[in-house]
PDB file of all heavy atoms in Angstrom:
ATOM      1  N   PHE A  52       7.091  47.115 147.163  1.00 96.00           N
ATOM      2  CA  PHE A  52       7.806  47.000 145.884  1.00 96.00           C
ATOM      3  C   PHE A  52       9.050  47.872 145.918  1.00 96.00           C
ATOM      4  O   PHE A  52       9.184  48.775 146.739  1.00 96.00           O
ATOM      5  CB  PHE A  52       6.912  47.413 144.699  1.00 96.00           C
ATOM      6  CG  PHE A  52       6.420  48.835 144.757  1.00 96.00           C
ATOM      7  CD1 PHE A  52       7.186  49.884 144.273  1.00 96.00           C
ATOM      8  CD2 PHE A  52       5.183  49.128 145.306  1.00 96.00           C
ATOM      9  CE1 PHE A  52       6.737  51.195 144.333  1.00 96.00           C
ATOM     10  CE2 PHE A  52       4.719  50.433 145.362  1.00 96.00           C
ATOM     11  CZ  PHE A  52       5.502  51.463 144.878  1.00 96.00           C
ATOM     12  N   ASP A  53       9.973  47.587 145.001  1.00 96.00           N
ATOM     13  CA  ASP A  53      11.177  48.381 144.782  1.00 96.00           C
ATOM     14  C   ASP A  53      11.209  48.828 143.325  1.00 96.00           C
ATOM     15  O   ASP A  53      10.765  48.097 142.428  1.00 96.00           O
ATOM     16  CB  ASP A  53      12.446  47.569 145.054  1.00 96.00           C
ATOM     17  CG  ASP A  53      12.624  47.228 146.533  1.00 96.00           C
ATOM     18  OD1 ASP A  53      11.968  47.876 147.373  1.00 96.00           O
ATOM     19  OD2 ASP A  53      13.413  46.306 146.837  1.00 96.00           O
ATOM     20  N   ILE A  54      11.743  50.022 143.105  1.00 97.00           N
ATOM     21  CA  ILE A  54      12.020  50.492 141.745  1.00 97.00           C
ATOM     22  C   ILE A  54      13.471  50.956 141.725  1.00 97.00           C
ATOM     23  O   ILE A  54      13.851  51.838 142.500  1.00 97.00           O
ATOM     24  CB  ILE A  54      11.099  51.653 141.314  1.00 97.00           C
ATOM     25  CG1 ILE A  54       9.622  51.346 141.586  1.00 97.00           C
ATOM     26  CG2 ILE A  54      11.303  51.959 139.829  1.00 97.00           C
ATOM     27  CD1 ILE A  54       8.668  52.479 141.240  1.00 97.00           C
ATOM     28  N   THR A  55      14.269  50.360 140.870  1.00 96.00           N
ATOM     29  CA  THR A  55      15.667  50.757 140.784  1.00 96.00           C
ATOM     30  C   THR A  55      15.810  51.996 139.908  1.00 96.00           C
ATOM     31  O   THR A  55      14.912  52.352 139.141  1.00 96.00           O
ATOM     32  CB  THR A  55      16.530  49.619 140.220  1.00 96.00           C
ATOM     33  OG1 THR A  55      16.028  49.248 138.929  1.00 96.00           O
ATOM     34  CG2 THR A  55      16.499  48.413 141.115  1.00 96.00           C
ATOM     35  N   GLY A  57      16.337  54.486 137.102  1.00 95.00           N
ATOM     36  CA  GLY A  57      16.196  54.378 135.662  1.00 95.00           C
ATOM     37  C   GLY A  57      15.180  53.361 135.190  1.00 95.00           C
ATOM     38  O   GLY A  57      14.959  53.216 133.985  1.00 95.00           O
ATOM     39  N   GLU A  58      14.526  52.669 136.108  1.00 96.00           N
ATOM     40  CA  GLU A  58      13.560  51.621 135.762  1.00 96.00           C
ATOM     41  C   GLU A  58      12.151  52.191 135.727  1.00 96.00           C
ATOM     42  O   GLU A  58      11.846  53.192 136.381  1.00 96.00           O
ATOM     43  CB  GLU A  58      13.643  50.505 136.798  1.00 96.00           C
ATOM     44  CG  GLU A  58      12.761  49.300 136.515  1.00 96.00           C
ATOM     45  CD  GLU A  58      12.861  48.247 137.607  1.00 96.00           C
ATOM     46  OE1 GLU A  58      12.561  48.554 138.772  1.00 96.00           O
ATOM     47  OE2 GLU A  58      13.254  47.119 137.278  1.00 96.00           O
ATOM     48  N   THR A  59      11.279  51.548 134.953  1.00 96.00           N
ATOM     49  CA  THR A  59       9.853  51.895 134.946  1.00 96.00           C
ATOM     50  C   THR A  59       9.051  50.702 135.451  1.00 96.00           C
ATOM     51  O   THR A  59       9.122  49.610 134.881  1.00 96.00           O
ATOM     52  CB  THR A  59       9.366  52.272 133.540  1.00 96.00           C
ATOM     53  OG1 THR A  59      10.084  53.409 133.074  1.00 96.00           O
ATOM     54  CG2 THR A  59       7.869  52.617 133.555  1.00 96.00           C
ATOM     55  N   LEU A  60       8.317  50.918 136.532  1.00 97.00           N
ATOM     56  CA  LEU A  60       7.419  49.896 137.072  1.00 97.00           C
ATOM     57  C   LEU A  60       6.008  50.172 136.582  1.00 97.00           C
ATOM     58  O   LEU A  60       5.469  51.260 136.793  1.00 97.00           O
ATOM     59  CB  LEU A  60       7.443  49.920 138.605  1.00 97.00           C
ATOM     60  CG  LEU A  60       6.404  49.026 139.296  1.00 97.00           C
ATOM     61  CD1 LEU A  60       6.724  47.551 139.074  1.00 97.00           C
ATOM     62  CD2 LEU A  60       6.306  49.341 140.782  1.00 97.00           C
ATOM     63  N   GLY A  61       5.412  49.197 135.916  1.00 97.00           N
ATOM     64  CA  GLY A  61       4.025  49.315 135.497  1.00 97.00           C
ATOM     65  C   GLY A  61       3.102  48.737 136.553  1.00 97.00           C
ATOM     66  O   GLY A  61       3.348  47.637 137.050  1.00 97.00           O
ATOM     67  N   VAL A  62       2.056  49.474 136.896  1.00 97.00           N
ATOM     68  CA  VAL A  62       1.049  49.008 137.848  1.00 97.00           C
ATOM     69  C   VAL A  62      -0.260  48.885 137.081  1.00 97.00           C
ATOM     70  O   VAL A  62      -0.770  49.864 136.531  1.00 97.00           O
ATOM     71  CB  VAL A  62       0.888  49.976 139.031  1.00 97.00           C
ATOM     72  CG1 VAL A  62      -0.110  49.430 140.038  1.00 97.00           C
ATOM     73  CG2 VAL A  62       2.240  50.231 139.704  1.00 97.00           C
ATOM     74  N   VAL A  63      -0.802  47.663 137.038  1.00 95.00           N
ATOM     75  CA  VAL A  63      -1.939  47.397 136.176  1.00 95.00           C
ATOM     76  C   VAL A  63      -3.028  46.669 136.941  1.00 95.00           C
ATOM     77  O   VAL A  63      -2.768  45.950 137.908  1.00 95.00           O
ATOM     78  CB  VAL A  63      -1.486  46.591 134.931  1.00 95.00           C
ATOM     79  CG1 VAL A  63      -1.078  45.183 135.324  1.00 95.00           C
ATOM     80  CG2 VAL A  63      -2.546  46.557 133.847  1.00 95.00           C
ATOM     81  N   LYS A 217      12.202  59.779 129.043  1.00 95.00           N
ATOM     82  CA  LYS A 217      12.757  58.917 130.090  1.00 95.00           C
ATOM     83  C   LYS A 217      14.222  58.625 129.812  1.00 95.00           C
ATOM     84  O   LYS A 217      15.069  58.689 130.716  1.00 95.00           O
ATOM     85  CB  LYS A 217      11.958  57.622 130.168  1.00 95.00           C
ATOM     86  CG  LYS A 217      12.513  56.604 131.168  1.00 95.00           C
ATOM     87  CD  LYS A 217      11.726  55.310 131.108  1.00 95.00           C
ATOM     88  CE  LYS A 217      12.274  54.285 132.078  1.00 95.00           C
ATOM     89  NZ  LYS A 217      13.631  53.829 131.725  1.00 95.00           N
ATOM     90  N   MET A 224      10.414  55.787 136.804  1.00 97.00           N
ATOM     91  CA  MET A 224       8.977  56.025 136.649  1.00 97.00           C
ATOM     92  C   MET A 224       8.126  54.908 137.253  1.00 97.00           C
ATOM     93  O   MET A 224       8.556  53.759 137.334  1.00 97.00           O
ATOM     94  CB  MET A 224       8.612  56.182 135.165  1.00 97.00           C
ATOM     95  CG  MET A 224       9.296  57.332 134.449  1.00 97.00           C
ATOM     96  SD  MET A 224       8.705  57.551 132.749  1.00 97.00           S
ATOM     97  CE  MET A 224       7.072  58.217 133.053  1.00 97.00           C
ATOM     98  N   MET A 225       6.920  55.311 137.644  1.00 97.00           N
ATOM     99  CA  MET A 225       5.844  54.365 137.923  1.00 97.00           C
ATOM    100  C   MET A 225       4.733  54.691 136.927  1.00 97.00           C
ATOM    101  O   MET A 225       4.243  55.820 136.892  1.00 97.00           O
ATOM    102  CB  MET A 225       5.315  54.505 139.354  1.00 97.00           C
ATOM    103  CG  MET A 225       4.116  53.594 139.637  1.00 97.00           C
ATOM    104  SD  MET A 225       3.325  53.903 141.243  1.00 97.00           S
ATOM    105  CE  MET A 225       4.508  53.132 142.313  1.00 97.00           C
ATOM    106  N   PHE A 226       4.383  53.702 136.113  1.00 97.00           N
ATOM    107  CA  PHE A 226       3.407  53.910 135.045  1.00 97.00           C
ATOM    108  C   PHE A 226       2.142  53.133 135.395  1.00 97.00           C
ATOM    109  O   PHE A 226       2.156  51.899 135.425  1.00 97.00           O
ATOM    110  CB  PHE A 226       3.982  53.444 133.712  1.00 97.00           C
ATOM    111  CG  PHE A 226       3.151  53.783 132.524  1.00 97.00           C
ATOM    112  CD1 PHE A 226       3.352  54.963 131.830  1.00 97.00           C
ATOM    113  CD2 PHE A 226       2.153  52.921 132.092  1.00 97.00           C
ATOM    114  CE1 PHE A 226       2.569  55.283 130.718  1.00 97.00           C
ATOM    115  CE2 PHE A 226       1.368  53.226 130.992  1.00 97.00           C
ATOM    116  CZ  PHE A 226       1.581  54.406 130.299  1.00 97.00           C
ATOM    117  N   LEU A 231      -2.776  46.230 129.708  1.00 88.00           N
ATOM    118  CA  LEU A 231      -1.561  45.416 129.767  1.00 88.00           C
ATOM    119  C   LEU A 231      -0.685  45.577 128.532  1.00 88.00           C
ATOM    120  O   LEU A 231       0.541  45.498 128.608  1.00 88.00           O
ATOM    121  CB  LEU A 231      -1.912  43.940 129.950  1.00 88.00           C
ATOM    122  CG  LEU A 231      -1.968  43.410 131.386  1.00 88.00           C
ATOM    123  CD1 LEU A 231      -2.388  41.956 131.387  1.00 88.00           C
ATOM    124  CD2 LEU A 231      -0.629  43.563 132.088  1.00 88.00           C
ATOM    125  N   VAL A 233      -0.176  48.312 126.778  1.00 88.00           N
ATOM    126  CA  VAL A 233       0.588  49.549 126.937  1.00 88.00           C
ATOM    127  C   VAL A 233       1.711  49.343 127.949  1.00 88.00           C
ATOM    128  O   VAL A 233       2.855  49.747 127.729  1.00 88.00           O
ATOM    129  CB  VAL A 233      -0.335  50.707 127.370  1.00 88.00           C
ATOM    130  CG1 VAL A 233       0.483  51.935 127.761  1.00 88.00           C
ATOM    131  CG2 VAL A 233      -1.303  51.062 126.259  1.00 88.00           C
ATOM    132  N   VAL A 234       1.382  48.708 129.063  1.00 91.00           N
ATOM    133  CA  VAL A 234       2.372  48.468 130.114  1.00 91.00           C
ATOM    134  C   VAL A 234       3.500  47.576 129.600  1.00 91.00           C
ATOM    135  O   VAL A 234       4.683  47.815 129.865  1.00 91.00           O
ATOM    136  CB  VAL A 234       1.692  47.843 131.353  1.00 91.00           C
ATOM    137  CG1 VAL A 234       2.719  47.309 132.326  1.00 91.00           C
ATOM    138  CG2 VAL A 234       0.809  48.868 132.042  1.00 91.00           C
ATOM    139  N   GLU A 235       3.147  46.543 128.845  1.00 89.00           N
ATOM    140  CA  GLU A 235       4.152  45.635 128.299  1.00 89.00           C
ATOM    141  C   GLU A 235       5.124  46.380 127.394  1.00 89.00           C
ATOM    142  O   GLU A 235       6.328  46.110 127.382  1.00 89.00           O
ATOM    143  CB  GLU A 235       3.445  44.511 127.533  1.00 89.00           C
ATOM    144  CG  GLU A 235       4.370  43.449 126.990  1.00 89.00           C
ATOM    145  CD  GLU A 235       3.621  42.381 126.218  1.00 89.00           C
ATOM    146  OE1 GLU A 235       2.468  42.634 125.792  1.00 89.00           O
ATOM    147  OE2 GLU A 235       4.179  41.297 126.015  1.00 89.00           O
ATOM    148  N   HIS A 236       4.619  47.334 126.628  1.00 86.00           N
ATOM    149  CA  HIS A 236       5.441  48.094 125.689  1.00 86.00           C
ATOM    150  C   HIS A 236       6.325  49.110 126.409  1.00 86.00           C
ATOM    151  O   HIS A 236       7.473  49.335 126.014  1.00 86.00           O
ATOM    152  CB  HIS A 236       4.526  48.822 124.687  1.00 86.00           C
ATOM    153  CG  HIS A 236       5.195  49.895 123.898  1.00 86.00           C
ATOM    154  ND1 HIS A 236       6.071  49.621 122.860  1.00 86.00           N
ATOM    155  CD2 HIS A 236       5.139  51.252 124.001  1.00 86.00           C
ATOM    156  CE1 HIS A 236       6.517  50.759 122.356  1.00 86.00           C
ATOM    157  NE2 HIS A 236       5.973  51.757 123.020  1.00 86.00           N
ATOM    158  N   PHE A 237       5.807  49.700 127.487  1.00 91.00           N
ATOM    159  CA  PHE A 237       6.463  50.871 128.074  1.00 91.00           C
ATOM    160  C   PHE A 237       7.330  50.558 129.284  1.00 91.00           C
ATOM    161  O   PHE A 237       8.269  51.295 129.580  1.00 91.00           O
ATOM    162  CB  PHE A 237       5.374  51.890 128.473  1.00 91.00           C
ATOM    163  CG  PHE A 237       5.910  53.235 128.842  1.00 91.00           C
ATOM    164  CD1 PHE A 237       6.237  54.164 127.865  1.00 91.00           C
ATOM    165  CD2 PHE A 237       6.094  53.590 130.172  1.00 91.00           C
ATOM    166  CE1 PHE A 237       6.734  55.413 128.190  1.00 91.00           C
ATOM    167  CE2 PHE A 237       6.594  54.828 130.516  1.00 91.00           C
ATOM    168  CZ  PHE A 237       6.911  55.749 129.522  1.00 91.00           C
ATOM    169  N   CYS A 238       7.040  49.479 129.997  1.00 95.00           N
ATOM    170  CA  CYS A 238       7.630  49.267 131.325  1.00 95.00           C
ATOM    171  C   CYS A 238       8.673  48.159 131.349  1.00 95.00           C
ATOM    172  O   CYS A 238       8.704  47.284 130.477  1.00 95.00           O
ATOM    173  CB  CYS A 238       6.526  48.954 132.339  1.00 95.00           C
ATOM    174  SG  CYS A 238       5.278  50.249 132.438  1.00 95.00           S
ATOM    175  N   ASP A 239       9.513  48.202 132.376  1.00 96.00           N
ATOM    176  CA  ASP A 239      10.511  47.153 132.601  1.00 96.00           C
ATOM    177  C   ASP A 239       9.946  46.031 133.467  1.00 96.00           C
ATOM    178  O   ASP A 239      10.199  44.859 133.220  1.00 96.00           O
ATOM    179  CB  ASP A 239      11.748  47.745 133.290  1.00 96.00           C
ATOM    180  CG  ASP A 239      12.378  48.859 132.480  1.00 96.00           C
ATOM    181  OD1 ASP A 239      12.789  48.586 131.343  1.00 96.00           O
ATOM    182  OD2 ASP A 239      12.432  50.002 132.973  1.00 96.00           O
ATOM    183  N   GLN A 240       9.206  46.414 134.509  1.00 96.00           N
ATOM    184  CA  GLN A 240       8.588  45.464 135.433  1.00 96.00           C
ATOM    185  C   GLN A 240       7.090  45.743 135.497  1.00 96.00           C
ATOM    186  O   GLN A 240       6.655  46.870 135.283  1.00 96.00           O
ATOM    187  CB  GLN A 240       9.192  45.589 136.836  1.00 96.00           C
ATOM    188  CG  GLN A 240      10.689  45.376 136.900  1.00 96.00           C
ATOM    189  CD  GLN A 240      11.086  43.934 136.672  1.00 96.00           C
ATOM    190  OE1 GLN A 240      10.361  43.009 137.011  1.00 96.00           O
ATOM    191  NE2 GLN A 240      12.273  43.727 136.106  1.00 96.00           N
ATOM    192  N   VAL A 241       6.320  44.707 135.803  1.00 97.00           N
ATOM    193  CA  VAL A 241       4.860  44.838 135.879  1.00 97.00           C
ATOM    194  C   VAL A 241       4.381  44.320 137.231  1.00 97.00           C
ATOM    195  O   VAL A 241       4.795  43.236 137.673  1.00 97.00           O
ATOM    196  CB  VAL A 241       4.168  44.057 134.740  1.00 97.00           C
ATOM    197  CG1 VAL A 241       2.652  44.198 134.842  1.00 97.00           C
ATOM    198  CG2 VAL A 241       4.659  44.536 133.375  1.00 97.00           C
ATOM    199  N   MET A 242       3.518  45.086 137.874  1.00 97.00           N
ATOM    200  CA  MET A 242       2.893  44.674 139.130  1.00 97.00           C
ATOM    201  C   MET A 242       1.382  44.677 138.928  1.00 97.00           C
ATOM    202  O   MET A 242       0.800  45.716 138.602  1.00 97.00           O
ATOM    203  CB  MET A 242       3.300  45.627 140.268  1.00 97.00           C
ATOM    204  CG  MET A 242       2.815  45.189 141.635  1.00 97.00           C
ATOM    205  SD  MET A 242       3.615  46.140 142.971  1.00 97.00           S
ATOM    206  CE  MET A 242       2.738  47.708 142.840  1.00 97.00           C
ATOM    207  N   VAL A 243       0.767  43.521 139.094  1.00 97.00           N
ATOM    208  CA  VAL A 243      -0.668  43.357 138.851  1.00 97.00           C
ATOM    209  C   VAL A 243      -1.414  43.436 140.183  1.00 97.00           C
ATOM    210  O   VAL A 243      -1.088  42.700 141.129  1.00 97.00           O
ATOM    211  CB  VAL A 243      -0.950  42.007 138.159  1.00 97.00           C
ATOM    212  CG1 VAL A 243      -2.448  41.845 137.881  1.00 97.00           C
ATOM    213  CG2 VAL A 243      -0.158  41.901 136.857  1.00 97.00           C
ATOM    214  N   GLU A 251       0.628  39.641 141.327  1.00 97.00           N
ATOM    215  CA  GLU A 251       1.814  39.113 140.646  1.00 97.00           C
ATOM    216  C   GLU A 251       2.754  40.253 140.297  1.00 97.00           C
ATOM    217  O   GLU A 251       2.333  41.378 140.006  1.00 97.00           O
ATOM    218  CB  GLU A 251       1.399  38.362 139.365  1.00 97.00           C
ATOM    219  CG  GLU A 251       2.542  37.669 138.660  1.00 97.00           C
ATOM    220  CD  GLU A 251       2.089  36.643 137.633  1.00 97.00           C
ATOM    221  OE1 GLU A 251       0.877  36.609 137.310  1.00 97.00           O
ATOM    222  OE2 GLU A 251       2.931  35.863 137.148  1.00 97.00           O
ATOM    223  N   LYS A 252       4.066  39.944 140.349  1.00 97.00           N
ATOM    224  CA  LYS A 252       5.110  40.841 139.851  1.00 97.00           C
ATOM    225  C   LYS A 252       5.934  40.049 138.837  1.00 97.00           C
ATOM    226  O   LYS A 252       6.315  38.906 139.099  1.00 97.00           O
ATOM    227  CB  LYS A 252       6.030  41.318 140.980  1.00 97.00           C
ATOM    228  CG  LYS A 252       5.361  42.179 142.035  1.00 97.00           C
ATOM    229  CD  LYS A 252       6.370  42.530 143.119  1.00 97.00           C
ATOM    230  CE  LYS A 252       5.728  43.292 144.264  1.00 97.00           C
ATOM    231  NZ  LYS A 252       6.696  43.534 145.360  1.00 97.00           N
ATOM    232  N   ILE A 253       6.226  40.692 137.695  1.00 96.00           N
ATOM    233  CA  ILE A 253       6.926  39.973 136.636  1.00 96.00           C
ATOM    234  C   ILE A 253       7.590  40.979 135.711  1.00 96.00           C
ATOM    235  O   ILE A 253       7.091  42.109 135.555  1.00 96.00           O
ATOM    236  CB  ILE A 253       5.929  39.069 135.856  1.00 96.00           C
ATOM    237  CG1 ILE A 253       6.654  38.184 134.852  1.00 96.00           C
ATOM    238  CG2 ILE A 253       4.840  39.891 135.192  1.00 96.00           C
ATOM    239  CD1 ILE A 253       5.753  37.121 134.212  1.00 96.00           C
ATOM    240  N   SER A 254       8.697  40.614 135.087  1.00 96.00           N
ATOM    241  CA  SER A 254       9.328  41.503 134.111  1.00 96.00           C
ATOM    242  C   SER A 254       8.458  41.558 132.851  1.00 96.00           C
ATOM    243  O   SER A 254       7.809  40.563 132.486  1.00 96.00           O
ATOM    244  CB  SER A 254      10.737  41.024 133.773  1.00 96.00           C
ATOM    245  OG  SER A 254      10.707  39.742 133.196  1.00 96.00           O
ATOM    246  N   SER A 255       8.438  42.699 132.192  1.00 94.00           N
ATOM    247  CA  SER A 255       7.542  42.892 131.053  1.00 94.00           C
ATOM    248  C   SER A 255       7.870  41.958 129.889  1.00 94.00           C
ATOM    249  O   SER A 255       6.969  41.541 129.155  1.00 94.00           O
ATOM    250  CB  SER A 255       7.586  44.348 130.584  1.00 94.00           C
ATOM    251  OG  SER A 255       8.907  44.705 130.212  1.00 94.00           O
ATOM    252  N   ASP A 256       9.148  41.607 129.725  1.00 93.00           N
ATOM    253  CA  ASP A 256       9.490  40.716 128.614  1.00 93.00           C
ATOM    254  C   ASP A 256       9.071  39.267 128.862  1.00 93.00           C
ATOM    255  O   ASP A 256       9.066  38.445 127.948  1.00 93.00           O
ATOM    256  CB  ASP A 256      10.993  40.797 128.297  1.00 93.00           C
ATOM    257  CG  ASP A 256      11.875  40.446 129.494  1.00 93.00           C
ATOM    258  OD1 ASP A 256      11.336  40.235 130.601  1.00 93.00           O
ATOM    259  OD2 ASP A 256      13.108  40.397 129.327  1.00 93.00           O
ATOM    260  N   ARG A 257       8.697  38.941 130.094  1.00 93.00           N
ATOM    261  CA  ARG A 257       8.210  37.597 130.422  1.00 93.00           C
ATOM    262  C   ARG A 257       6.689  37.554 130.553  1.00 93.00           C
ATOM    263  O   ARG A 257       6.105  36.484 130.682  1.00 93.00           O
ATOM    264  CB  ARG A 257       8.832  37.121 131.735  1.00 93.00           C
ATOM    265  CG  ARG A 257      10.309  36.801 131.653  1.00 93.00           C
ATOM    266  CD  ARG A 257      10.875  36.461 133.037  1.00 93.00           C
ATOM    267  NE  ARG A 257      10.088  35.458 133.739  1.00 93.00           N
ATOM    268  CZ  ARG A 257      10.204  34.149 133.573  1.00 93.00           C
ATOM    269  NH1 ARG A 257      11.106  33.678 132.709  1.00 93.00           N
ATOM    270  NH2 ARG A 257       9.457  33.296 134.243  1.00 93.00           N
ATOM    271  N   LEU A 258       6.069  38.723 130.519  1.00 93.00           N
ATOM    272  CA  LEU A 258       4.646  38.819 130.859  1.00 93.00           C
ATOM    273  C   LEU A 258       3.769  37.937 129.985  1.00 93.00           C
ATOM    274  O   LEU A 258       2.979  37.127 130.489  1.00 93.00           O
ATOM    275  CB  LEU A 258       4.204  40.288 130.752  1.00 93.00           C
ATOM    276  CG  LEU A 258       2.722  40.573 130.984  1.00 93.00           C
ATOM    277  CD1 LEU A 258       2.332  40.247 132.423  1.00 93.00           C
ATOM    278  CD2 LEU A 258       2.404  42.038 130.670  1.00 93.00           C
ATOM    279  N   MET A 324       8.234  34.879 146.233  1.00 91.00           N
ATOM    280  CA  MET A 324       9.259  35.274 145.271  1.00 91.00           C
ATOM    281  C   MET A 324       9.939  34.050 144.673  1.00 91.00           C
ATOM    282  O   MET A 324      10.337  33.139 145.383  1.00 91.00           O
ATOM    283  CB  MET A 324      10.298  36.168 145.959  1.00 91.00           C
ATOM    284  CG  MET A 324      11.389  36.689 145.029  1.00 91.00           C
ATOM    285  SD  MET A 324      10.769  37.825 143.757  1.00 91.00           S
ATOM    286  CE  MET A 324      10.343  39.238 144.773  1.00 91.00           C
ATOM    287  N   ASN A 327      13.681  33.580 139.638  1.00 85.00           N
ATOM    288  CA  ASN A 327      13.802  34.427 138.455  1.00 85.00           C
ATOM    289  C   ASN A 327      13.301  35.850 138.694  1.00 85.00           C
ATOM    290  O   ASN A 327      13.217  36.647 137.753  1.00 85.00           O
ATOM    291  CB  ASN A 327      13.048  33.808 137.269  1.00 85.00           C
ATOM    292  CG  ASN A 327      11.562  33.599 137.570  1.00 85.00           C
ATOM    293  OD1 ASN A 327      11.028  34.118 138.544  1.00 85.00           O
ATOM    294  ND2 ASN A 327      10.887  32.824 136.736  1.00 85.00           N
ATOM    295  N   GLY A 328      12.958  36.177 139.935  1.00 86.00           N
ATOM    296  CA  GLY A 328      12.486  37.516 140.255  1.00 86.00           C
ATOM    297  C   GLY A 328      10.983  37.685 140.157  1.00 86.00           C
ATOM    298  O   GLY A 328      10.439  38.709 140.572  1.00 86.00           O
ATOM    299  N   GLN A 329      10.286  36.698 139.623  1.00 94.00           N
ATOM    300  CA  GLN A 329       8.836  36.748 139.532  1.00 94.00           C
ATOM    301  C   GLN A 329       8.230  36.441 140.897  1.00 94.00           C
ATOM    302  O   GLN A 329       8.767  35.655 141.672  1.00 94.00           O
ATOM    303  CB  GLN A 329       8.358  35.729 138.498  1.00 94.00           C
ATOM    304  CG  GLN A 329       6.879  35.794 138.165  1.00 94.00           C
ATOM    305  CD  GLN A 329       6.539  34.887 136.987  1.00 94.00           C
ATOM    306  OE1 GLN A 329       7.450  34.419 136.284  1.00 94.00           O
ATOM    307  NE2 GLN A 329       5.271  34.643 136.749  1.00 94.00           N
ATOM    308  N   ALA A 330       7.114  37.089 141.219  1.00 96.00           N
ATOM    309  CA  ALA A 330       6.438  36.847 142.500  1.00 96.00           C
ATOM    310  C   ALA A 330       4.956  36.645 142.238  1.00 96.00           C
ATOM    311  O   ALA A 330       4.345  37.383 141.458  1.00 96.00           O
ATOM    312  CB  ALA A 330       6.666  38.019 143.443  1.00 96.00           C
TER     313      ALA A 330
END
Side-chain angles (χ1 to χ4, degrees):
F52 60 85
D53 291 343
I54 311 177
T55 58
E58 184 182 59
T59 299
L60 172 68
V62 183
V63 69
K217 176 184 179 294
M224 300 185 72
M225 176 188 284
F226 188 91
L231 267 177
V233 171
V234 168
E235 184 181 19
H236 165 74
F237 191 82
C238 302
D239 302 300
Q240 302 289 329
V241 180
M242 186 168 75
V243 181
E251 185 165 11
K252 295 178 185 176
I253 187 171
S254 62
S255 59
D256 58 355
R257 289 175 50 84
L258 176 65
M324 182 66 69
N327 59 13
Q329 188 172 347

